[in-house]
Amino acid sequence: MIPATFWGTTYAVTQYALADWPPLLLGALRALPAGLLLLALKPSLPQKQDWPVLIRLGSINIAAFFSLIFVMALTLPSAISGVGMVSVPVFAMMYLWLIHKKRPNLVQAISGGLIILLAWNLFDPSSISLNPIGLVAMLAAIICIVVGSSLTQSLGNRMHWWKVLTWQLIIGGVILSLFALVHALFVPQQYMQSIANIDIKNLGGLLWVILLNTALSYGMYVWLLQRMSVVDFSFGGIANPIAGILSGMLLVGERFTAVQYGLMAAMIIMSLLPQAILVLRERAKRPIRART
């Protein structure tokens, strides 16, 4: 649950310590130093045939995703960002159905439908005012996760997990750095002001995002991916939206109504429902297998 917890704090930490920084710059500063740190700890070099898929991974998993995450962090409440990302399984289910013709089972379909219904009520403009740019960024970030996960699986056992992690961070960081440089040519004041007025709070936020949210958390995530089941990850992921809610309350003073918190809790529970039922079914089968 440690990686999920740190990821859930990204939104509130950004609002608290890095509120005026450009998203492209934040994405580059999050990705490239972390990737270079991992490369220094364990040097590696991809094979020639691995570069195309690593470039795609770096572009989607890191460059696009990180920039979108920081757009969300700067335009949406931390709790809304964290809870909204529990919709990833719904979009993954739709992606598998449309692209790979893998139909969801009944429990997955019901759970996905309820998450959409709950999100519709939580994000209702009549009850809460949300920045449409942030909502579009959230949707795009979810799509990046789904597509990026599919690309990661295509690597199979061809590459060591450390090499995959290190080089997609470096490639994504370089891409973000180039885009940030171009963006800075058009709005130089925003970049110069962020760098010239850097203080202890900014440095603390950057260290949190680079070392804990990225180098440590992504390293743990990819390492654990080789050793834990999807079910374990699903239950561990509950820490992400909870951390988003709590860090938003503690760092930036976010408050919502009891009904809104209830909708958030319901979305989290619905996201775990299919895996919880799978666990119960597996446990129910164990005595039968033992007798046979």
Side-chain angles (χ1 to χ4, degrees), residues 22-28 30 59-74 137 141 144 176 179:
L24 288 173
L25 178 60
L26 288 174
R30 180 183 181 184
S59 301
I60 297 172
N61 278 2
I62 305 301
F65 180 68
F66 278 14
S67 57
L68 291 166
I69 284 294
F70 284 116
V71 170
M72 289 168 55
L74 296 171
C144 284
L176 280 168
F179 275 96

Side-chain angles (χ1 to χ4, degrees), residues 66-279:
F66 278 14
S67 57
L68 291 166
I69 284 294
F70 284 116
V71 170
M72 289 168 55
L74 296 171
T75 55
L76 294 176
S78 175
I80 293 296
S81 296
V83 173
M85 294 302 282
V86 303
S87 303
V88 169
V90 178
F91 286 86
M93 179 179 66
M94 295 169 62
Y95 176 81
L96 291 173
W97 190 3
L98 293 173
I99 304 300
H100 300 287
K101 310 302 179 184
K102 184 178 179 181
R103 298 184 62 180
N105 59 43
L106 181 60
V107 175
Q108 290 173 327
I110 293 174
S111 175
L114 288 174
I115 288 176
I116 292 173
L117 179 62
L118 291 165
W120 184 272
N121 285 275
L122 178 61
F123 299 153
D124 185 357
S126 64
S127 61
I128 186 171
S129 179
L130 297 173
N131 190 317
I133 295 176
L135 293 176
V136 172
M138 179 188 294
L139 177 60
I142 291 173
I143 294 173
C144 284
I145 293 176
V146 175
V147 176
S149 298
S150 178
L151 282 174
T152 303
Q153 289 178 349
S154 69
L155 284 174
N157 296 319
R158 285 167 43 196
M159 294 179 63
H160 190 273
W161 64 269
W162 187 277
K163 188 185 295 185
V164 175
L165 173 62
T166 298
W167 283 99
Q168 68 173 319
L169 282 170
I170 293 174
I171 292 169
V174 169
I175 293 171
L176 280 168
S177 298
L178 293 174
F179 275 96
L181 181 61
V182 173
H183 187 228
L185 296 176
F186 293 93
V187 284
Q189 185 175 359
Q190 189 177 6
Y191 286 81
M192 292 176 62
Q193 186 175 2
S194 299
I195 296 172
N197 298 326
I198 192 168
D199 57 19
I200 296 298
K201 182 189 287 189
N202 300 146
L203 288 174
L206 288 173
L207 289 175
W208 184 280
V209 168
I210 294 168
L211 298 179
L212 300 179
N213 285 28
T214 310
L216 175 64
S217 296
Y218 271 87
M220 289 184 67
Y221 170 75
V222 180
W223 181 78
L224 289 168
L225 195 61
Q226 316 296 320
R227 294 161 176 80
M228 295 175 67
S229 68
V230 175
V231 176
D232 294 329
F233 266 111
S234 298
F235 285 107
I238 192 176
N240 189 315
I242 292 176
I245 294 171
L246 293 177
S247 60
M249 292 174 60
L250 294 173
L251 293 179
V252 292
E254 291 179 357
R255 296 292 185 273
F256 297 91
T257 66
V259 172
Q260 289 168 340
Y261 279 123
L263 290 169
M264 293 179 193
M267 285 182 66
I268 295 171
I269 293 170
M270 285 300 105
S271 70
L272 297 174
L273 182 61
Q275 301 301 336
I277 291 176
L278 177 61
V279 169

Side-chain angles (χ1 to χ4, degrees), residues 11-35:
Y11 316 103
V13 168
T14 302
Q15 290 180 31
Y16 175 73
L18 302 162
D20 299 322
W21 288 53
L24 288 173
L25 178 60
L26 288 174
L29 290 174
R30 180 183 181 184
L32 190 55

